[in-house]
Amino acid sequence: GAVVSQHPSRVICKSGTSVKIECRSLDFQATTMFWYRQFPKQSLMLMATSNEGSKATYEQGVEKDKFLINHASLTLSTLTVTSAHPEDSSFYICSARGSGTFKYEQYFGPGTRLTVT
Amino acid sequence: DAKTTQPTSMDCAEGRAANLPCNHSTISGNEYVYWYRQIHSQGPQYIIHGLKNNETNEMASLIITEDRKSSTLILPHATLRDTAVYYCIVSNTGNQFYFGTGTSLTVIP
């Protein structure tokens, strides 16, 4: 089946710094990638949708200047949390969707646990 | 916003069938019903999806009512490893997923 990886799996950063999370589709071309955030004991919340080579579309209430998304290739998308604050601490999950047989599902990565101190 | 409603939690005895319901009364004609599950601190795992007909795979069966306003995910022989949060999602192919609160299934020995 299709595999999506994320790196790092865990990251701790100081308040005010930026952190980048990578999402890769390992065995298929991801025409669309999605970024979610999940707080403890809550559901996944969609943050943004990105299509390869295009600007990301952000959900209402998500600050595009704070959460920078780049989808420069068909196998890689990055999420950069800029000027992180403790309230940005969360579980960040990406997913990817392709074409052909890969267009029906979203394939999820294992998630990245961000802690801002 | 999520277009589905699910019970908050359910228990199931190990070895028995787990039947997880989902209401999606505002589903439109070209939207699929997807089921995913999430084990603690992991990414969601795909289980099954369907449009109109009932579907079965190695993990589960999906029963969709004729009016498509509700569906049931069936895990035929629940094991302890099936303990997870189960999410029912409706979406067009290629469109976003909006997750609801899901059902926390606990399989009891």
Side-chain angles (χ1 to χ4, degrees):
Chain A
V3 179
V4 174
S5 68
Q6 283 185 240
H7 178 79
S9 57
R10 290 179 175 271
V11 59
I12 301 172
C13 71
K14 292 185 182 299
S15 186
T17 63
S18 296
V19 62
K20 180 184 287 189
I21 302 169
E22 292 186 348
C23 176
R24 293 182 185 273
S25 58
L26 300 185
D27 49 5
F28 69 103
Q29 293 186 324
T31 51
T32 307
M33 285 186 165
F34 306 87
W35 286 95
Y36 298 83
R37 180 168 53 179
Q38 185 175 33
F39 293 109
K41 298 190 185 301
Q42 294 187 22
S43 185
L44 283 76
M45 184 190 77
L46 179 66
M47 300 175 67
T49 302
S50 72
N51 293 300
E52 185 264 339
S54 303
K55 288 185 178 180
T57 301
Y58 291 81
E59 295 295 308
Q60 192 171 7
V62 178
E63 300 174 59
K64 63 179 182 180
D65 294 330
K66 180 169 183 61
F67 299 99
L68 302 179
I69 292 171
N70 184 281
H71 189 173
S73 80
L74 284 172
T75 59
L76 174 64
S77 176
T78 60
L79 168 68
T80 301
V81 183
T82 63
S83 186
H85 289 108
E87 56 265 31
D88 298 323
S89 297
S90 189
F91 192 50
Y92 291 86
I93 307 169
C94 73
S95 70
R97 190 172 233 157
S99 58
T101 57
F102 296 104
K103 71 177 181 180
Y104 292 102
E105 299 173 36
Q106 284 189 26
Y107 301 92
F108 286 83
T112 296
R113 176 78 57 193
L114 170 64
T115 303
V116 184
T117 61
Chain B
D1 288 341
K3 297 175 64 174
T4 61
T5 55
Q6 300 176 249
T8 303
S9 63
M10 293 181 66
D11 293 338
C12 177
E14 188 178 17
R16 302 298 292 270
N19 296 279
L20 291 89
C22 179
N23 285 320
H24 32 80
S25 58
T26 61
I27 191 171
S28 59
N30 53 357
E31 287 183 315
Y32 287 77
V33 179
Y34 291 85
W35 283 83
Y36 282 76
R37 70 182 183 186
Q38 186 180 30
I39 297 169
H40 182 63
S41 295
Q42 297 182 24
Q45 175 191 21
Y46 168 81
I47 301 173
I48 200 167
H49 77 280
L51 184 63
K52 296 181 184 178
N53 300 322
N54 298 337
E55 302 287 344
T56 296
N57 62 20
E58 63 278 4
M59 288 182 70
S61 295
L62 173 60
I63 308 299
I64 303 174
T65 58
E66 194 169 338
D67 63 7
R68 302 209 323 125
K69 293 185 176 182
S70 65
S71 61
T72 301
L73 177 74
I74 302 172
L75 307 178
H77 304 288
T79 71
L80 298 180
R81 289 178 293 181
D82 292 323
T83 293
V85 178
Y86 287 76
Y87 294 101
C88 167
I89 304 157
V90 296
S91 177
N92 292 322
T93 302
N95 282 3
Q96 293 84 348
F97 281 359
Y98 294 101
F99 283 75
T101 54
T103 296
S104 178
L105 175 69
T106 302
V107 180
I108 302 168

